[in-house]
Amino acid sequence: MIKNYILFFCFILNLVATDIFSQEIKIFTREDFDLNGDVKSCLVITDYGKEEYDFDENGLLAKSVTRYSDSDYDVTYYQYDGGFLKEKRLENYRENTFDTSTSIAHFYELDSLGTKKITEKIVSYEKEFLDQYEYFYDTDDRVVKIIRTNNNGTDETGIEYTSYKDEQTRTYRLNGVEQKSIRTSSRKAKNGTLEKVILTKRFLNGDPLTATEEIFDASGQLISSIHFGYDEKTRQFVPEHTTVFTYDSSGALSKLVEKKGNSEKAKEYIYQYDDREQGNWVKQIVTPDNAYTTRRIKYFEFQEEVEDEE
């Protein structure tokens, strides 16, 4: 399956993981990084940087480091309470010096009286208030409203859930103006299995802007993605480029084909694996670019409990 770190290397973990369109507060696990088994840490090395990921014994991401050079790096710490994210700290270091002016902390508070509400407060290390998000849930544990408050005022995002036949749609409205909709449906593939189709439309000030259609096979793997732009003349979404994904027998991405107009560009992925029973790849080679990514993986070594014989 296409995993987070492949698509968002040096990006996702040092951005605010919750934005005004978030449906939930994201908690990262080993599975998000295509890691199997009791992985303790993973160092990802590419031509353009390094990422380090540390996990707790439950598989939750506890720490991540983005290294731009030996002296310039960003560190993010995650703290949990019974699986609930309580705190996230983003610390930036430049020339080996901690930069308080750009470092921020997120604090999360759960209110479970009545319907669930989670409050996220964001402050700088210089103790300056930056943002507050309040996430309101319904009885099905779905986010239905997000209120953002900062020095510029208050914004409210309402999330509406609707169903029609076999389609489910989530619509996001910022202060009453539609910003995004996500429609999920299913269809029968040529081999007789069911595919999941997710169509995401984005709007600017209520006007159509772009759209993306993602198709997942029966095992949950992303097999194609179509990006659309909006044509003002025809008032329709028009396909601009398509990406098709192919996987090997182990479920690892083996080929990616990008199509735009009459042009087509393909990439193939080759892996080397470690010697663990469940197995994780430790080197990924992309052709014809001859780009490569290596991973240095450490595991928890849990001792098996042996019952004493009477």
Side-chain angles (χ1 to χ4, degrees), residues 45-59:
I45 306 170
T46 72
D47 294 335
Y48 44 84
K50 297 179 181 179
E51 287 277 354
E52 302 172 27
Y53 308 114
D54 292 344
F55 303 91
D56 64 18
E57 294 184 358
N58 296 315

Side-chain angles (χ1 to χ4, degrees), residues 10-16 51 64-66 68 74-76 90:
C10 292
F11 178 72
I12 61 167
L13 291 178
N14 290 298
L15 287 179
V16 177
E51 287 277 354
S64 68
V65 183
T66 300
Y68 311 103
D74 301 331
V75 185
T76 305
L90 292 79

Side-chain angles (χ1 to χ4, degrees), residues 148-178:
R148 176 185 182 182
T149 305
N150 56 30
N151 294 331
N152 295 321
T154 300
D155 291 306
E156 179 176 318
T157 297
I159 306 172
E160 181 184 8
Y161 299 82
T162 57
S163 298
Y164 176 74
K165 295 183 178 180
D166 63 343
E167 297 179 353
Q168 292 78 44
T169 302
R170 299 197 309 271
T171 303
Y172 295 73
R173 293 183 175 89
L174 175 60
N175 298 327
V177 180
E178 186 170 359

Side-chain angles (χ1 to χ4, degrees), residues 1 219 221 246-255 269 271 273:
M1 184 179 291
S219 63
Q221 291 178 317
T246 305
Y247 303 85
D248 61 22
S249 58
S250 67
L253 177 67
S254 60
K255 188 175 182 180
Y269 297 78
Y271 302 90
Y273 290 83

Side-chain angles (χ1 to χ4, degrees), residues 194-242:
L194 283 180
E195 295 176 337
K196 182 170 70 173
V197 182
I198 299 179
L199 177 63
T200 302
K201 295 180 181 180
R202 293 175 175 82
F203 302 83
L204 180 62
N205 298 323
D207 297 323
L209 185 64
T210 62
T212 304
E213 182 185 72
E214 296 174 304
I215 301 176
F216 299 81
D217 64 16
S219 63
Q221 291 178 317
L222 177 64
I223 56 177
S224 73
S225 176
I226 305 174
H227 179 81
F228 298 83
Y230 188 74
D231 189 327
E232 292 287 350
K233 293 182 179 180
T234 62
R235 297 177 123 10
Q236 292 181 339
F237 285 103
V238 179
E240 295 182 340
H241 58 84
T242 301

Side-chain angles (χ1 to χ4, degrees), residues 7-271:
L7 293 177
F8 307 113
F9 182 78
C10 292
F11 178 72
I12 61 167
L13 291 178
N14 290 298
L15 287 179
V16 177
T18 53
D19 58 39
I20 200 65
F21 299 131
S22 297
Q23 184 189 356
E24 62 181 356
I25 297 169
K26 175 65 177 174
I27 294 178
F28 294 101
T29 68
R30 285 188 288 248
E31 287 72 20
D32 290 306
F33 302 90
D34 194 21
L35 292 167
N36 302 313
D38 298 320
V39 174
K40 182 178 182 180
S41 65
C42 177
L43 170 62
V44 184
I45 306 170
T46 72
D47 294 335
Y48 44 84
K50 297 179 181 179
E51 287 277 354
E52 302 172 27
Y53 308 114
D54 292 344
F55 303 91
D56 64 18
E57 294 184 358
N58 296 315
L60 302 178
L61 183 63
K63 176 184 174 184
S64 68
V65 183
T66 300
R67 293 194 178 275
Y68 311 103
S69 67
D70 291 338
S71 59
D72 295 338
Y73 52 94
D74 301 331
V75 185
T76 305
Y77 298 94
Y78 301 83
Q79 293 186 14
Y80 306 91
D81 181 6
F84 174 74
L85 181 62
K86 291 286 293 182
E87 184 176 317
K88 179 176 66 177
R89 292 181 176 269
L90 292 79
E91 300 182 352
N92 300 322
Y93 294 81
R94 298 297 179 263
E95 297 182 357
N96 284 323
T97 301
F98 178 49
D99 187 355
T100 58
S101 65
T102 61
S103 299
I104 60 176
H106 301 241
F107 301 98
Y108 303 89
E109 182 179 339
L110 172 63
D111 182 355
S112 58
L113 292 176
T115 54
K116 186 173 76 173
K117 183 181 81 168
I118 296 177
T119 301
E120 174 186 14
K121 294 181 179 179
I122 307 174
V123 297
S124 73
Y125 270 65
E126 295 178 339
K127 297 184 178 180
E128 177 187 2
F129 169 77
L130 300 176
D131 263 314
Q132 176 176 288
Y133 291 86
E134 294 175 282
Y135 301 85
F136 297 84
Y137 294 74
D138 63 12
T139 55
D140 294 321
D141 205 31
R142 303 177 303 186
V143 178
V144 292
K145 183 171 63 175
I146 304 171
I147 296 179
R148 176 185 182 182
T149 305
N150 56 30
N151 294 331
N152 295 321
T154 300
D155 291 306
E156 179 176 318
T157 297
I159 306 172
E160 181 184 8
Y161 299 82
T162 57
S163 298
Y164 176 74
K165 295 183 178 180
D166 63 343
E167 297 179 353
Q168 292 78 44
T169 302
R170 299 197 309 271
T171 303
Y172 295 73
R173 293 183 175 89
L174 175 60
N175 298 327
V177 180
E178 186 170 359
Q179 301 292 309
K180 183 171 69 170
S181 68
I182 303 173
R183 188 186 70 194
T184 303
S185 60
S186 60
R187 70 184 187 189
K188 185 173 290 187
K190 293 181 180 179
N191 61 7
T193 62
L194 283 180
E195 295 176 337
K196 182 170 70 173
V197 182
I198 299 179
L199 177 63
T200 302
K201 295 180 181 180
R202 293 175 175 82
F203 302 83
L204 180 62
N205 298 323
D207 297 323
L209 185 64
T210 62
T212 304
E213 182 185 72
E214 296 174 304
I215 301 176
F216 299 81
D217 64 16
S219 63
Q221 291 178 317
L222 177 64
I223 56 177
S224 73
S225 176
I226 305 174
H227 179 81
F228 298 83
Y230 188 74
D231 189 327
E232 292 287 350
K233 293 182 179 180
T234 62
R235 297 177 123 10
Q236 292 181 339
F237 285 103
V238 179
E240 295 182 340
H241 58 84
T242 301
T243 307
V244 178
F245 306 92
T246 305
Y247 303 85
D248 61 22
S249 58
S250 67
L253 177 67
S254 60
K255 188 175 182 180
L256 182 153
V257 179
E258 296 176 320
K259 302 176 182 179
K260 186 175 183 180
N262 295 324
S263 66
E264 183 174 299
K265 182 179 180 181
K267 294 182 180 180
E268 295 191 4
Y269 297 78
I270 303 169
Y271 302 90

